[in-house]
Amino acid sequence: MFGGRRTPIGLSSSPDYALVGLLRIPAVQTSPWISLTRRVLVAIALLLAAATVVYVGRAGYHDNTGNELSFLDALYYATVSLSTTGYGDITPASPTARLINTIVITPLRILFLIVLVGTTLSVLTERSRQAFKIQRWRHTVRNHTVVVGYGTKGRTAIDAMLGDGVAQSDIVVVDTDAVALEAAASAGLVTVHGSATKSDVLRLTGVQRAASVIVATNRDDTATLVTLTARELNKTAKIVVAIREAENTHLVRQSGADSVVVSSETAGRLLGIATTTPTVVEMMEDLLTPEQGFAVAERDVEPGEVGGSPRHLSEIVLGVVRDGDLIRVGEPEVDALEAGDKLLYIRRSAK
């Protein structure tokens, strides 16, 4: 996943237009017919505006008949001018001919121009729009989550966050796989193309101002290096790392990870449990899927609950977080809740 093309040095100081293709901001998808209709309406609006200007200043214009220009004459003049057709060599003399030229020939010319140059203009304007979006996004992104790796683990982590109410705009995906990034962009996520082991690539994600970082790479050594780099750039962000082998847990923690998930061992435990009590695995899946059934959630202790026991609350409380440490609900230390404690409890999904 993270051994792809070489990323230029100094990306974080590069101008915004140079980042188009590396940093991608999702765009709102619209129907091509809507886009075509908008272009036609803009062309018609410009045509009417030009005709109005000519008509207001009609005293300065004359035709080969010597008569004062009517609005139809002004519209015709605007038509042949904006369509770059020219004028003077062949001039419709009758009002009927000029009306036909205006309402029939001009729309055909506009459609022809749209078909001929529409694609080129679309590419150029899209690149400019992306550069503007990148500039605006880099100045406003705060307290977001950076997800390194958009494989199975990364996608599942993002689905869990979205199911728990996290906005798409608060998630940034980093990967070297263009196909994976295309899928992430299609899902409405901001993407960065490059290796997250490089500090410049992580800076593009705004990791310095991120609230959390999820490292979901396919290799433990890569995960360790990404964690070390992310912690160097952000001393306070919560870093969660997925690794394959439990023996690498201490290395990842020493690199700065707050939480480490051993994917192979976790899957192995669930497989073992499923052989004897498969319904337990079903319940675990339910708890890990926030958008349906039950889910494990966290909330602050309310003032009226201070001094009471978590076992007497209406929710099913699993543990209490005190000063950053998790204490299980059966421990005597949490028989009396304190101000500032957080409760880990089971809640029913609203969906």
Side-chain angles (χ1 to χ4, degrees):
M1 181 185 297
F2 290 90
R5 74 181 188 185
R6 187 179 181 86
T7 307
I9 297 176
L11 285 178
S12 57
S13 59
S14 298
D16 298 315
Y17 65 83
L19 302 177
V20 177
L22 292 176
L23 177 58
R24 181 174 176 181
I25 311 298
V28 177
Q29 300 296 324
T30 58
S31 167
W33 290 108
I34 295 177
S35 178
L36 181 64
T37 301
R38 287 175 179 171
R39 293 184 185 183
V40 172
L41 291 177
V42 169
I44 293 174
L46 291 174
L47 180 62
L48 293 175
T52 302
V53 171
V54 172
Y55 183 70
V56 170
R58 60 187 180 278
Y61 294 86
H62 67 275
D63 59 11
N64 53 10
T65 63
N67 297 325
E68 183 180 357
L69 268 64
S70 65
F71 186 78
L72 180 60
D73 295 326
L75 190 60
Y76 168 73
Y77 180 83
T79 299
V80 297
S81 298
L82 293 184
S83 63
T84 68
T85 304
Y87 56 92
D89 51 347
I90 299 177
T91 305
S94 67
T96 301
R98 291 187 174 185
L99 180 62
I100 292 175
N101 186 280
T102 301
I103 66 176
V104 177
I105 303 301
T106 299
L108 292 177
R109 291 194 189 105
I110 293 174
L111 290 175
F112 175 77
L113 290 173
I114 290 175
V115 173
L116 184 64
V117 302
T119 303
T120 302
L121 291 177
S122 178
V123 171
L124 293 176
T125 54
E126 176 60 26
R127 188 173 183 86
S128 299
R129 284 197 299 267
Q130 274 292 317
F132 174 74
K133 288 179 180 178
I134 289 172
Q135 180 185 44
R136 183 176 58 184
W137 180 83
R138 294 178 72 184
H139 284 86
T140 58
V141 64
R142 295 287 189 282
N143 299 321
H144 56 295
T145 299
V146 178
V147 179
V148 181
Y150 198 67
T152 302
K153 291 179 290 188
R155 287 195 302 270
T156 305
I158 290 173
D159 289 342
M161 287 189 292
L162 294 177
D164 214 19
V166 178
Q168 290 175 319
S169 57
D170 290 334
I171 301 175
V172 183
V173 176
V174 192
D175 208 315
T176 58
D177 188 341
V179 176
L181 291 180
E182 185 65 31
S186 299
L189 305 173
V190 177
T191 62
V192 175
H193 191 292
S195 174
T197 60
K198 301 180 182 299
S199 59
D200 267 346
V201 172
L202 279 182
R203 285 193 181 96
L204 285 186
T205 68
V207 72
Q208 315 92 289
R209 301 178 296 276
S212 56
V213 179
I214 295 176
V215 182
T217 62
N218 287 333
R219 294 169 55 97
D220 288 0
D221 54 350
T222 304
T224 303
L225 185 54
V226 171
T227 303
L228 189 62
T229 307
R231 181 55 74 200
E232 182 182 16
L233 296 174
N234 191 325
K235 304 298 184 183
T236 60
K238 182 176 181 60
I239 301 179
V240 182
V241 185
I243 59 175
R244 290 177 175 270
E245 304 297 335
E247 63 185 18
N248 295 321
T249 301
H250 72 287
L251 292 176
V252 178
R253 287 194 178 277
Q254 287 179 356
S255 299
D258 297 292
S259 300
V260 180
V261 177
V262 184
S263 57
S264 58
E265 287 196 355
T266 302
R269 291 190 187 100
L270 292 177
L271 288 173
I273 294 172
T275 59
T276 55
T277 53
T279 52
V280 173
V281 178
E282 292 181 16
M283 179 56 69
M284 293 296 295
E285 284 290 331
D286 190 356
L287 292 175
L288 294 174
T289 309
E291 64 269 15
Q292 60 184 5
F294 294 96
V296 178
E298 181 182 274
R299 70 171 178 83
D300 294 327
V301 170
E302 298 177 359
E305 297 170 342
V306 174
S309 171
R311 292 190 291 270
H312 297 159
L313 299 178
S314 59
E315 300 106 334
I316 300 176
V317 179
L318 302 177
V320 176
V321 180
R322 179 173 295 168
D323 299 326
D325 296 325
L326 173 62
I327 307 174
R328 290 169 178 79
V329 74
E331 300 295 329
E333 297 95 315
V334 294
D335 281 343
L337 294 173
E338 299 178 1
D341 286 350
K342 294 180 181 294
L343 299 179
L344 292 180
Y345 69 101
I346 297 178
R347 65 168 173 82
R348 181 181 292 275
S349 175
K351 297 185 179 180

